[in-house]
Amino acid sequence: MRSKKIGVFIMLFISVAVLSGCASNSGPIKSETSDGFTIVTSFYPMYVETINVTKDVPDVEVINMTQPQTGCLHDYQLKPQDLKTLAGADAFVVNGAGMEDFLADVIKQEKNLKIVEVSEGIDLIKDESGEDNAHVWVSISNSIIQVKNIADQLSELDPDHAAAYQSNAAVYIAKLEAEKEKMHASLDAVSNRDIITFHEAFPYFAKEFNLNIVDVIEREPGTAPSPKELEDTIKLIKASNVKALFAEPQYSAEAAQTIANETGAKVYSLDPGVTGEADESADDDYLKVMDSNLKSLEEALK
């Protein structure tokens, strides 16, 4: 009998050790004994907005679910690691508007997880196929709405820190408003407003600053345009006054450069702000991206 008990104890000990070993290699999973409030964000723009709302709030942890280099979540497939991370979360901050195609699977798997969908109240733009364009955060005005939504919904979920969330949101929104005002002061007087972008990330940005997107080089990111599409874009540029092509730092600019070589147009950069390092230094990343975008537009259009 004693030998059987010892055998059972050894098996239990081995099981615990194995499970502990798996946890140590499984990434940012909330400890089951944690008394804090854990927030998971779906991708980098949501992470930047959320860490500004939760800045210096005690016992609140923010984890970005996807790799900061993932970019937009086009066709992103949930990994077992993602579900483990979400299992330890108190709230999941998502862009919504169709960006996270996997959201239905998350809701099905984690029925008690609180979803903070931050694009609520934003007027969505339809793309050519009639689907909602989800890149709402690229507009500063929309980013402000998202920050307000994050603060309001976190305040409901974690009322002990509601005052801090609202105060942080007000500070960050003031910075966003100042950035928007600076960009408008520079861009509102520009006469040439025709641009060609890399993919469908910039309709809200263009609406914000009254820019006219004449054409999009790649409708689906990562999918090279066909020879016919390249030819059509080249003809369009030659027949118009478009002088600027805007590629994104997250993708190869090969197609844009090919068009530029054939037309004499120049290639510049516009960044939708979807990549970066998910750490405390990321709080000003969106503002830095907008500063960089402003410099590109000033050089291209003035």
Side-chain angles (χ1 to χ4, degrees):
M1 180 68 70
R2 176 179 173 79
S3 61
K4 288 183 180 180
K5 288 182 178 180
I6 292 173
V8 170
F9 175 80
I10 291 172
M11 290 301 296
L12 287 172
F13 177 82
I14 292 172
S15 298
V16 171
V18 169
L19 289 172
S20 298
C22 290
S24 67
N25 295 316
S26 60
I29 299 173
K30 180 186 175 185
S31 169
E32 292 182 1
T33 60
S34 172
D35 293 327
F37 191 79
T38 299
I39 303 166
V40 175
T41 58
S42 59
F43 74 132
Y44 194 65
M46 301 302 99
Y47 177 81
V48 173
E49 291 177 350
T50 302
I51 64 171
N52 275 282
V53 173
T54 61
K55 193 170 186 176
D56 298 326
V57 179
D59 301 321
V60 174
E61 180 183 20
V62 181
I63 300 169
N64 194 43
M65 185 184 77
T66 54
Q67 291 295 319
Q69 291 77 30
T70 299
C72 293
L73 299 180
H74 302 289
D75 302 319
Y76 182 83
Q77 299 293 318
L78 279 177
K79 300 177 177 63
Q81 173 62 37
D82 298 331
L83 292 173
K84 289 180 181 179
T85 300
L86 290 169
D90 296 295
F92 186 30
V93 177
V94 301
N95 180 77
M99 176 57 70
E100 295 88 355
D101 287 338
F102 54 77
L103 194 55
D105 291 332
V106 171
I107 293 171
K108 182 179 179 180
Q109 292 280 341
E110 299 293 334
K111 294 181 173 60
N112 296 322
L113 180 61
K114 303 300 183 182
I115 307 296
V116 178
E117 193 162 347
V118 305
S119 293
E120 291 181 1
I122 294 175
D123 292 331
L124 301 179
I125 296 174
K126 302 287 186 181
D127 62 22
E128 287 190 342
S129 63
E131 295 183 357
D132 292 331
N133 188 303
H135 300 80
V136 294
W137 71 90
V138 188
S139 155
I140 300 180
S141 294
N142 289 343
S143 181
I144 290 170
I145 294 173
Q146 291 188 319
V147 170
K148 289 179 179 177
N149 284 337
I150 292 170
D152 289 346
Q153 294 186 55
L154 289 183
S155 294
E156 292 182 7
L157 296 175
D158 183 24
D160 289 345
H161 296 127
Y165 293 142
Q166 295 296 334
S167 177
N168 284 339
V171 170
Y172 187 49
I173 287 170
K175 294 179 180 179
L176 292 171
E177 292 282 9
E179 184 70 22
K180 182 173 73 169
E181 184 177 341
K182 178 175 70 176
M183 293 183 73
H184 273 292
S186 177
L187 297 175
D188 285 354
V190 170
S191 57
N192 179 17
R193 298 185 169 276
D194 293 339
I195 63 173
I196 291 178
T197 61
F198 194 79
H199 85 278
E200 295 278 15
F202 293 98
Y204 297 96
F205 182 88
K207 182 179 179 181
E208 175 98 64
F209 297 108
N210 195 26
L211 302 173
N212 178 35
I213 299 177
V214 175
D215 197 13
V216 177
I217 297 173
E218 293 184 9
R219 294 290 173 181
E220 292 294 329
T223 303
S226 68
K228 177 65 165 58
E229 289 171 331
L230 281 175
E231 182 183 353
D232 289 345
T233 301
I234 290 168
K235 287 180 179 178
L236 178 67
I237 292 173
K238 288 181 176 179
S240 66
N241 193 36
V242 176
K243 302 297 182 184
L245 309 176
F246 289 94
E248 297 170 38
Q250 292 82 16
Y251 300 99
S252 168
E254 183 177 352
Q257 194 59 58
T258 298
I259 295 169
N261 293 340
E262 292 293 324
T263 61
K266 291 185 178 181
V267 179
Y268 300 89
S269 177
L270 273 184
D271 192 343
V274 293
T275 54
E277 292 301 323
D279 55 32
E280 292 180 359
S281 66
D283 57 347
D284 283 336
D285 270 13
Y286 182 83
L287 298 170
K288 291 176 182 177
V289 162
M290 287 299 155
D291 274 338
S292 178
N293 288 340
L294 175 58
K295 290 177 182 177
S296 286
L297 288 165
E298 287 174 339
E299 183 179 353
L301 302 179
K302 287 191 175 181

